[in-house]
Amino acid sequence: MHAISLFSSAGIGELGIEAAGIKTVCASEIVPYRVGLYRENFPQTPMVEGDIWKYRDQIVETAEASLSGKELFLVYATPPCQGMSSNGLGRLKFEEGRKRDISGDPRNRLVIPALDVIKRLRPRWVLFENVPGMRFTEITDEDGRRVKILDYIAAQLGSDYVGGGEVVACEDFGVPQRRKRLITMFTRDHHAAAMFRELGGSFISRTLFEPRVTLRDAVHDLPPLEATAGKSQRLDFSPDHYVNVIEERKLWWIFHTPEGETAYNNQCVNPQCLYQLNALHRDGVTQGRATSSKTTPVYCERCGELLPRPSVLQEDGTYRLLKGFHSAYRRMKWDEPARTLTQNFIYEASDNKIHPSQNRVLSVHEALIVQTVSRYHYRFDIAGARISNARIAEVLGESVPPYLIEKLCRWIISISEPSAATT
């Protein structure tokens, strides 16, 4: 079985595709360092580097040359999600009380050339993976009409293909992380199409579900780290088990933060007071914009001592609260899956990213476990040199857990016509 990958990034999803027994015969990506990582990890896969609008013909020609007349089993596509994500620039923003129209966002319209490639190659299966917001995102099509992306995909594929989109929770599939993704699958395989018609809107089999894996299950037994000089890495254990050093004042906030809580709600630590009823931090919404509380106390309301809450020293010698939401400087919980891994997981101020009991964020090694990349062989090297920590975080935060993709691929193979496995 053969696949091509569109918007391949650094190839994290392909780890699952190839583990399921499907050979990737063509990939495409525009970002140079991600192309470099892909070529390092999949040296046998032809890579088309550049803008898919410009190079779609080359993608088709490269795929056809690699297939040599064999059927294409799968097209796997992960268009950029920033135009659809609630965390990205494409979020419906409010400008003077009005929603900004993002139907013309060029990132969202990348599905158009992707479908041009798909229609020409006619794979047995099409698999789009993206953020849940893709369900409601509209684009402006070639004729200037506004249409929902999922409706556009279905219309372009035509009646030969059956399928749709379904939001799944990665933690239901054995991934130790809370992460929701929109899985959009279409097929022209007769066996699978008949099953999809019977199942209706919820077409991903619940037999794929696994017991939830908590953060404790995943990383509790790893060597401890502290975000201080001399204690922030254990390279003797793993070259990826390290974290950035955190400045002392921030460590003070984190040290006093209980599991599952945010430093913004820390209480008095003055031994002569220990008042525990200081007002808590609240988030709100003003004219459609999320805003943080401006009334959260930074000094104890009983004794007046500085609280271990995120704050900054002002010119007059007093402290004021740092602007932030209640999810910032928050510890994760041991007995739940990790919170969604984003490209900011290496920063303590990112939402829900503090280690449950140690005074630091997750190490890269732990992030690889949480994202299930550690189950496969993958190198973050280009031409023998390791890429930066920030770029590793970017690749991991924007990728899909490959174990989810492996399970989905094994499943679509199992429900396809028997001949599919030999094409």
Side-chain angles (χ1 to χ4, degrees):
M1 292 167 290
H2 302 88
I4 72 166
S5 169
L6 305 177
F7 316 104
S8 307
S9 187
I12 300 297
E14 280 83 325
L15 295 172
I17 292 173
E18 300 227 339
I22 305 172
K23 174 67 176 175
T24 309
V25 298
C26 178
S28 70
E29 172 57 37
I30 191 173
V31 181
Y33 87 87
R34 298 181 184 187
V35 171
L37 286 173
Y38 199 102
R39 287 174 170 157
E40 185 80 28
N41 287 281
F42 303 93
Q44 305 304 315
T45 301
M47 164 62 73
V48 178
E49 181 177 0
D51 187 347
I52 190 172
W53 285 103
K54 181 178 179 180
Y55 290 100
R56 51 186 152 177
D57 288 344
Q58 185 176 336
I59 294 169
V60 171
E61 293 164 3
T62 302
E64 289 177 337
S66 297
L67 289 167
S68 300
K70 299 184 180 71
E71 181 192 43
L72 181 61
F73 183 75
L74 172 69
V75 170
Y76 171 63
T78 57
C81 66
Q82 291 88 344
M84 311 171 200
S85 171
S86 61
N87 290 324
L89 295 177
R91 178 174 48 191
L92 288 178
K93 295 183 178 179
F94 287 77
E95 297 176 355
E96 298 180 356
R98 297 181 180 180
K99 289 183 179 180
R100 182 171 64 86
D101 179 14
I102 62 171
S103 61
D105 191 314
R107 296 166 297 185
N108 298 346
R109 297 186 79 245
L110 287 170
V111 70
I112 296 175
L115 282 162
D116 287 344
V117 171
I118 291 168
K119 288 186 293 183
R120 290 170 64 180
L121 293 174
R122 285 188 53 78
R124 186 179 291 252
W125 285 88
V126 177
L127 170 56
F128 282 93
E129 180 275 323
N130 216 295
V131 294
M134 182 175 171
R135 290 176 298 169
F136 311 111
T137 302
E138 294 181 339
I139 61 170
T140 304
D141 68 13
E142 305 94 316
D143 298 320
R145 297 171 300 191
R146 288 178 55 164
V147 59
K148 287 184 178 180
I149 289 181
L150 293 190
D151 293 340
Y152 180 81
I153 293 172
Q156 290 294 308
L157 292 177
S159 58
D160 285 350
Y161 284 85
V162 174
E166 182 174 353
V167 175
V168 303
C170 291
E171 61 267 28
D172 290 334
F173 294 80
V175 176
Q177 178 186 174
R178 293 184 181 276
R179 192 184 193 101
K180 290 188 176 180
R181 306 303 291 176
L182 176 67
I183 301 299
T184 303
M185 291 194 290
F186 283 85
T187 186
R188 59 177 180 82
D189 182 278
H190 295 302
H191 284 190
M195 189 194 76
F196 277 12
R197 290 188 180 98
E198 290 179 6
L199 292 175
S202 180
F203 53 80
I204 295 178
S205 174
R206 274 30 185 184
T207 62
L208 297 175
F209 285 5
E210 295 184 22
R212 292 194 173 185
V213 181
T214 68
L215 193 58
R216 188 188 302 275
D217 296 330
V219 304
H220 80 281
D221 58 349
L222 299 183
L225 297 174
E226 294 292 333
T228 56
K231 297 182 179 180
S232 65
Q233 57 185 4
R234 280 294 304 272
L235 303 185
D236 57 323
F237 168 74
S238 165
D240 297 313
H241 198 39
Y242 63 90
V243 294
N244 294 331
V245 172
I246 299 175
E247 56 186 288
E248 187 174 349
R249 66 189 181 94
K250 294 182 179 180
L251 284 175
W252 182 57
W253 309 336
I254 294 170
F255 177 83
H256 291 286
T257 304
E259 179 184 345
E261 295 295 332
T262 171
Y264 278 102
N265 286 339
N266 283 340
Q267 298 296 328
C268 184
V269 295
N270 175 7
Q272 280 72 47
C273 178
L274 299 178
Y275 183 60
Q276 301 298 295
L277 296 178
N278 289 285
L280 302 181
H281 193 55
R282 305 292 185 188
D283 292 346
V285 175
T286 303
Q287 294 184 341
R289 294 180 181 272
T291 57
S292 57
S293 171
K294 295 182 179 180
T295 60
T296 305
V298 70
Y299 291 96
C300 179
E301 295 172 309
R302 174 175 288 178
C303 73
E305 288 287 324
L306 183 67
L307 298 172
R309 296 181 172 185
S311 57
V312 61
L313 181 63
Q314 302 180 105
E315 291 184 359
D316 63 1
T318 63
Y319 286 84
R320 65 168 176 82
L321 197 75
L322 279 175
K323 183 178 180 180
F325 301 113
H326 73 281
S327 59
Y329 295 100
R330 181 179 287 274
R331 287 193 186 274
M332 292 181 282
K333 296 180 180 180
W334 271 125
D335 296 316
E336 293 182 359
R339 300 305 292 259
T340 301
L341 198 72
T342 69
Q343 62 180 313
N344 292 320
F345 79 84
I346 58 176
Y347 304 112
E348 64 279 358
S350 184
D351 62 318
N352 296 282
K353 294 299 181 291
I354 303 294
H355 189 280
S357 59
Q358 298 174 31
N359 301 320
R360 60 179 178 86
V361 296
L362 294 183
S363 71
V364 172
H365 182 85
E366 290 164 329
L368 291 170
I369 295 173
V370 165
Q371 195 70 348
T372 69
V373 177
S374 62
R375 306 185 189 198
Y376 310 87
H377 177 71
Y378 192 88
R379 295 166 51 86
F380 286 99
D381 295 345
I382 300 177
R386 187 177 178 84
I387 65 172
S388 69
N389 196 26
R391 284 189 165 172
I392 292 174
E394 183 178 297
V395 166
L396 289 179
E398 293 186 357
S399 67
V400 62
Y403 185 60
L404 171 65
I405 300 301
E406 179 184 348
K407 295 201 72 173
L408 291 173
C409 286
R410 290 187 183 277
W411 179 61
I412 67 175
I413 292 170
S414 72
I415 64 174
S416 297
E417 295 177 9
S419 61
T422 59
T423 55

